[in-house]
Amino acid sequence: MIGFLARRLLSALPVLFVVSLVSFVIIAIVPGDVTAEIAGSDSTEAQRAEIRERLGLDRPMVEQAVRWYGRLLQGDLGQSYLLNKSVTEAVLERLPITLSLAAIALVLAVMLGVLLGILAAIKHDSWLDQGSMSIALFGLSIPDFWFALILISVFAVGLGWLPTGGYVPASESLIGWARSMTLPALALAITQMGVVARMTRSSMLEVMSQDYIRTARAKGMRRHTVIFKHALRNALVPIVTVVGVMTGVLLGGAVVIESVFSLPGVGRLIIGAIQRRDYPIIQGGLLITAATFVFVNILVDLAYGWLDPRVRDGR
Amino acid sequence: MAVEANADNAAILRQEIARARRRGWMLFGRRLARHRSFQVGFALFFVIVLLAVFADLIAPYDPNKNDYRSLLAPPSMAHWFGTDGFGRDIMSRVIHGTRVSLGIGISVVVMTGILGVFLGMLAGYVRWLDNVLMRIMDGLMAFPGVLLAIALAAALGPSTMNAVIALTITFTPRTARVVRSSVLVIRELPYVEAAMAVGAGHARIIFRYILANALSPLIVQLTFVFAVSILAEAILSFLGVGPPPPAPSLGNIIAEGRNYLQDASWIAFFPGIAIAAAVLGLNLMGDGLRDVTDPRLAAERGAG
């Protein structure tokens, strides 16, 4: 298991390198004069030169890259142009909100998806099967930020049950926090719920056609004991593998959902930085989010290796 | 005499191969046409394509014409989908919006297809390049969801062209991977070995033997890229880094509608339905294509 972990960590290094390189290059591809964007169109050439020097943009690209990596290895992602904070601080203080939103959405997506998938599989070829698969496919096909707006206009504007947006920290009021996270998490979960439902269904159908299930049934075990004790347990293993991919989609989706609901997470930070041309924040936010995703994937792989010994010995 | 007979045989053989190939395509077409979800998806997508192509003829109003006598009018006989804060007809804007979305979608599909095939082929065929290329692809895929596209589009500046570039960079890695993995399998098959043995050149082996047989997973993948591009374009526009307003992109209309959720929820509602219809159609077609081209994959559903 330790060897497996070491191999997995090692293989993450080149990925992280590419991630950091892309984050560095993001500023370089901005067309025109970045400093004019930062200082505003009415800035003087002297002001721009000052900014250029302060940010090291007057240096050759290679030197800038060396400096970027030198700082990066010390955990320094630079200063925000506008926030009067270091990038690392700004991103890390908002990361918990994004992570908790993604985590709640993940739990919701898996629970609802597995439920729909089981329903479809045990009532195979019935209207229940078609109904749940239609819901799953519909979930896969709608834009989540649009679904978020629909949820807002129904449950917040129309019925007034939940707030239209804004964030209440859990430390302030647990109920307020839950109320502020409900709609965002639902909106975020809908797409991945579809993915899970479809996977659960096909995986259940496959497992239920296997010999040991027939044996269990033949020896007189009750149908739902077979389904929940024997079939489901094995059918859910593949779901673990997609949790990694799903986390990525959810983290990415959170960026948009956060700005719809005005939740102060990393996504909203990045979108705000895009509007205000605060490039270090864009860079740092991108880098830290991607690194988080890589880390989550390692955890998922470990979990999978623990569940299925073939995986950890296979490589 | 013997030589002539050989030539005859070769000609017959060639005809036979051509016939078998035609039969294969016909069988494929027939199976596809009989696939329920492909039928539904195709019909749905076809309607959207018609709307996009004939937008000028179908749209009842000019999508960018302001009408200050009917601001924020709810859906009615005159304006089926209502009007927005400038009195513009939402239905006309949605119809023109499908053109913007499909245009971006198809551009992304073409560029992703070309780049994905090129990189996937390189990685799968040229062994020493495989590791380097795939690590780069892994790195690009480490950016969660459409975050990379958002950042790229923001850095490049909001325009249709830049949205296409940003989305292409985001979706190429997965496509290259699909191509690479089919190449790795096909490369080891006996008929490719046979082609090498009779001295076929690299180009012939790549295009005639490997690419031709890697096409079906690629087409399935590109169908899903099309669907995801339409969704992602809407996100870019919604966040203000897509085609700039007043272009009636579906994401732009939703973004505008966001400010009127309280008084005029129809503005945001209808463009979302159009996106969902296009994406649903493509997803259904993709499912159908996947089932027909590779029954083994039918079990592994769930492309995000």
Side-chain angles (χ1 to χ4, degrees), chain B residues 38-63:
Chain B
F38 186 85
Q39 291 170 349
V40 178
F42 185 81
L44 203 55
F45 190 62
F46 190 66
V47 172
I48 304 285
V49 170
L50 283 185
L51 286 180
V53 172
F54 299 107
D56 298 314
L57 300 174
I58 299 170
Y61 298 90
D62 177 342

Side-chain angles (χ1 to χ4, degrees), chain B residues 98-109:
Chain B
T98 58
R99 179 182 277 183
V100 178
S101 289
L102 290 194
I104 289 181
I106 194 79
S107 316
V108 174
V109 165

Side-chain angles (χ1 to χ4, degrees), chain A residues 258-285:
Chain A
E258 278 169 14
S259 44
V260 173
F261 288 96
S262 318
L263 294 177
V266 182
R268 201 166 135 72
L269 181 72
I270 295 177
I271 302 301
I274 286 172
Q275 279 150 7
R276 283 174 310 212
R277 307 263 158 204
D278 193 348
Y279 292 104
I281 292 277
I282 303 179
Q283 270 186 331

Side-chain angles (χ1 to χ4, degrees), chain A residues 113-123 197 200-201 204 208 227-228 232 236:
Chain A
V114 167
L115 211 68
L116 274 180
I118 294 175
L119 207 63
I122 56 182
K123 300 281 177 197
T200 308
R201 173 177 178 271
M204 274 295 271
M208 291 207 304
I227 288 171
F228 289 99
L232 187 60
L236 287 186

Side-chain angles (χ1 to χ4, degrees), chain A residues 11 14-15 18-20 22-23 26 29-31 130 137-138 140-146 149-150 152-153 157 192 195 198-199 201-203 206 245 247-249 251-253 255-256 259-262 270-271 274-275 277 279 282 285-287 289-290 293-294, chain B residues 36 135-148 150-152 154-158 174 224 231 234-235 238-239 241 251 254-255 257-258 261-262 265 268-273 275-277 279-281 283-284 287 290 298-304:
Chain A
S11 72
V15 173
V18 175
V19 165
S20 58
V22 171
S23 308
I26 286 282
I29 62 170
V30 176
Q130 291 195 339
L137 195 64
F138 189 69
L140 269 178
S141 305
I142 59 175
D144 49 10
F145 69 93
W146 174 76
L149 292 178
I150 300 294
I152 292 178
S153 72
V157 176
Q192 298 307 303
V195 177
R198 284 158 59 117
M199 276 202 68
R201 173 177 178 271
S202 56
S203 161
E206 201 185 312
V245 181
T247 312
V249 179
L251 280 175
V255 172
V256 192
S259 44
V260 173
F261 288 96
S262 318
I270 295 177
I271 302 301
I274 286 172
Q275 279 150 7
R277 307 263 158 204
Y279 292 104
I282 303 179
L286 208 57
L287 183 76
T289 318
F293 178 35
V294 171
Chain B
R36 263 278 295 288
R135 290 299 80 75
I136 296 175
M137 299 295 128
D138 285 349
L140 287 175
M141 283 193 285
F143 293 98
V146 288
L147 191 56
L148 180 61
I150 294 172
L152 284 172
L156 292 167
R174 194 151 280 127
F224 291 123
L231 285 172
I235 291 176
F238 182 71
L239 294 176
V241 292
I254 297 179
R258 185 187 170 184
L261 274 187
Q262 198 128 22
S265 49
F269 181 73
F270 289 107
I273 295 291
I275 296 172
V279 175
L280 186 65
N283 276 339
L284 285 168
D287 284 354
R290 177 156 51 185
E300 274 181 52
R301 294 221 157 147

Side-chain angles (χ1 to χ4, degrees), chain A residues 24 27-28 30 32-38 48-61 63-65 67 71 81 279-280 283:
Chain A
F24 169 71
I27 286 194
V30 176
D33 189 359
V34 180
T35 55
E37 302 253 23
I38 299 163
R48 286 183 219 163
E50 200 260 337
I51 295 176
R52 207 169 292 140
E53 205 188 308
R54 182 156 52 89
L55 300 176
L57 296 174
D58 52 344
R59 300 303 160 92
M61 197 57 102
E63 200 184 315
Q64 287 185 44
R67 246 177 60 167
R71 288 225 219 104
Y81 292 164
Y279 292 104
Q283 270 186 331

Side-chain angles (χ1 to χ4, degrees), chain B residues 116-137:
Chain B
V117 166
F118 179 70
L119 294 172
M121 278 290 176
L122 267 185
Y125 199 74
V126 187
R127 281 188 184 206
W128 60 271
L129 265 175
D130 189 16
N131 240 318
V132 180
L133 279 176
M134 281 304 120
R135 290 299 80 75
I136 296 175
M137 299 295 128

